[in-house]
Amino acid sequence: MYDFTYTALASRVVFGLDSVKHVEREVELLGASRALVLCTREQTQQAEMVAGLLGRRCAGIHAGAVMHVPIASAREAVAVAARLGADCAVAIGGGSTVGLGKAIALESPLPIIAIPTTYAGSEMTPIYGITENGIKRTGRDSKVLPRTVIYDPRLSRGLPAAMSFVSGINAIAHAAEGLYAQDGNPVMSLMAEEGIRSLASGLRKLRQDPQDLDARGSCLYGAWLCGTVLGQVGMALHHKLCHTLGGSFNLPHAETHAIILPHALAYNANAAPEAMRRIARALGSDDAAQGMFDLSQELGIALALSEIGMPADGLDHACATALANPYWNPRPVEAAPLRALLQRAWSGKRPAV
C-alpha cells in the first residue's frame, strides 16, 4: 500500500537540439528586459553566444562563477546585477554557474533562467549551496528554483569526455538516493530509475564517440530526470559526505560524487534492498554498488579520493564533520563503518557492505 505526499515544483523546460536559440523568447516571457549572463571564466565564449542571442535584452556578462559558490563570489554577483540594473539572470554552464544564479535569486527578486552544459541536474532544484569559512551551507528555498531551463544537447558536446563521465555519475547519485529517500514517492522512483538507465546508457555511448549527439541527448534527458528527483525529495549519506569533502577540502564536486557513490550504496545496501534492486536493474548489473564501481571503472574515471587531492590525514576530520550534523539515512550513520567507508574511497578499493 502506497503512503506518500507529492508536491510538484513549477518549472518550465525547453528541451531539444538548438533550443538555446529561444533564450530571448524565454526572457521576454518572464517579463524581463535586462538579463545578466552568468558563466565561469572558461565558458566566456558560450556566454558571449547567449549574449548575442539576447541582443538588446542583455545587460552584460559576469564570468565570476567558481566551484562551491564561495560567499564572496555570491556577494560580488549580487552587486554586479544591481549595478547593471539586471532584472533577470541567465546562467549558462554547470553546477557552479547555476549555483551562482541561485545565490543571486536568494538575495534579490531576480528570476533565473538556466542553460546547463553539464549533467549535474541542480538546475531542476530549489536547493542552494554557499561555502563560507570552509563549510558548505545548503538549504531549500523555492525562489532559487530556475523559472525556465533550456536543455540543448549540442551545448554539452564541448564538455570533455572525462568531465561528462563524472558529471553524469554526479546526476545518477541524485536519483540513487532518491530511491531510498525518507520522503520518496512512486513518481520520483519512476523518474529516478529511468534517469539512471538513460544516463548509464548515454555515458557508455559517449565513451565510444564523445561527439555523438544522440548520446548527449540521452545524458541530458537523464540529467533532467535525476535533477528533478533531487529537487523533490531529500538526500542522504552520500550527499552529506560529498558536501563535507567538497566544502572542507575544496575537492572537485563531480569527481567527489563519482568516487563516493558506490561506497555510499554499499553502506546502505542491506537497509534499502528495493532501491538497490532498481539501481542495479537500471545499470544492467546484479548489484547496485558493484555496478556503479564497474561503470566508473569502465569509463576510466578516478576511483580514489587520493587521486583528486584528498589528504589521508583529513579523513578523521571528514568523518567527524559528517557525524556532527548527519542527514537522514536508511541505515544509522555510525563512526566506525563511516570511517571504513572513507578509507576505502580514499584508497580506491571496491565497495564493501
Side-chain angles (χ1 to χ4, degrees):
M1 177 66 67
Y2 288 131
D3 184 3
F4 65 91
T5 300
Y6 171 65
T7 302
L9 296 175
S11 190
R12 176 177 168 87
V13 172
V14 181
F15 196 109
L17 276 179
D18 301 319
S19 56
V20 70
K21 67 185 179 184
H22 300 304
V23 64
E24 184 182 12
R25 179 194 71 190
E26 296 305 316
V27 168
E28 184 179 5
L29 287 172
L30 291 179
S33 60
R34 290 185 59 78
L36 176 63
V37 181
L38 306 172
C39 65
T40 61
R41 289 181 181 176
E42 295 77 14
Q43 289 188 284
T44 302
Q45 188 173 357
Q46 285 185 316
E48 290 172 346
M49 177 270 294
V50 170
L53 291 169
L54 287 169
R56 61 185 176 83
R57 293 184 186 273
C58 181
I61 294 173
H62 178 59
V66 292
M67 188 170 62
H68 301 307
V69 196
I71 193 165
S73 71
R75 288 170 177 163
E76 180 189 8
V78 171
V80 169
R83 187 177 72 246
L84 295 176
D87 57 6
C88 78
V90 176
I92 179 165
S96 297
T97 306
V98 174
L100 184 61
K102 290 180 174 184
I104 292 175
L106 191 65
E107 300 297 329
S108 73
L110 271 61
I112 306 300
I113 292 175
I115 308 175
T117 60
T118 71
Y119 308 129
S122 62
E123 65 278 353
M124 292 305 301
T125 81
I127 301 168
Y128 64 86
I130 297 174
T131 299
E132 184 174 14
N133 298 325
I135 301 297
K136 189 167 186 178
R137 173 175 60 90
T138 62
R140 284 177 177 259
D141 194 314
S142 59
K143 69 181 181 181
V144 309
L145 179 70
R147 296 275 292 278
T148 300
V149 181
I150 298 174
Y151 286 106
D152 187 340
R154 197 181 300 278
L155 294 181
S156 71
R157 195 163 59 171
L159 187 66
M163 181 52 71
S164 298
F165 299 152
V166 293
S167 179
I169 293 180
N170 178 17
I172 287 174
H174 308 328
E177 290 224 297
L179 281 165
Y180 52 69
Q182 184 180 27
D183 55 351
N185 63 70
V187 176
M188 289 302 103
S189 292
L190 288 169
M191 296 183 80
E193 186 172 348
E194 172 65 4
I196 295 171
R197 186 205 61 76
S198 185
L199 266 162
S201 172
L203 291 173
R204 289 179 173 121
K205 291 175 182 175
L206 282 186
R207 185 173 179 272
Q208 303 302 318
D209 180 9
Q211 297 303 307
D212 184 339
L213 278 175
D214 285 337
R216 292 285 179 186
S218 292
C219 289
L220 208 56
Y221 172 68
W224 168 54
L225 294 171
C226 294
T228 301
V229 174
L230 175 64
Q232 294 276 5
V233 299
M235 296 290 106
L237 174 64
H238 168 82
H239 282 74
K240 178 61 179 182
L241 286 176
C242 292
H243 291 159
T244 297
L245 294 168
S248 299
F249 300 96
N250 201 36
L251 300 184
H253 180 82
E255 287 87 342
T256 303
H257 274 271
I259 292 167
I260 290 294
L261 182 57
H263 301 280
L265 293 179
Y267 187 99
N268 285 327
N270 292 332
E274 174 60 18
M276 299 304 156
R277 185 184 67 81
R278 296 184 74 154
I279 294 166
R281 182 170 64 192
L283 293 171
S285 174
D286 294 329
D287 181 90
Q290 302 303 325
M292 279 306 314
F293 190 87
D294 290 342
L295 178 60
S296 292
Q297 199 167 48
E298 180 184 343
L299 297 174
I301 66 177
L303 300 174
L305 291 174
S306 60
E307 297 180 56
I308 62 169
M310 177 67 193
D313 60 6
L315 294 175
D316 287 338
H317 174 74
C319 185
T321 303
L323 285 167
N325 186 26
Y327 295 178
W328 178 89
N329 194 65
R331 174 185 171 184
V333 180
E334 299 170 321
L338 183 61
R339 183 60 177 80
L341 180 163
L342 287 167
Q343 188 65 49
R344 298 188 76 85
W346 186 86
S347 304
K349 294 182 178 179
R350 278 195 168 271
V353 177

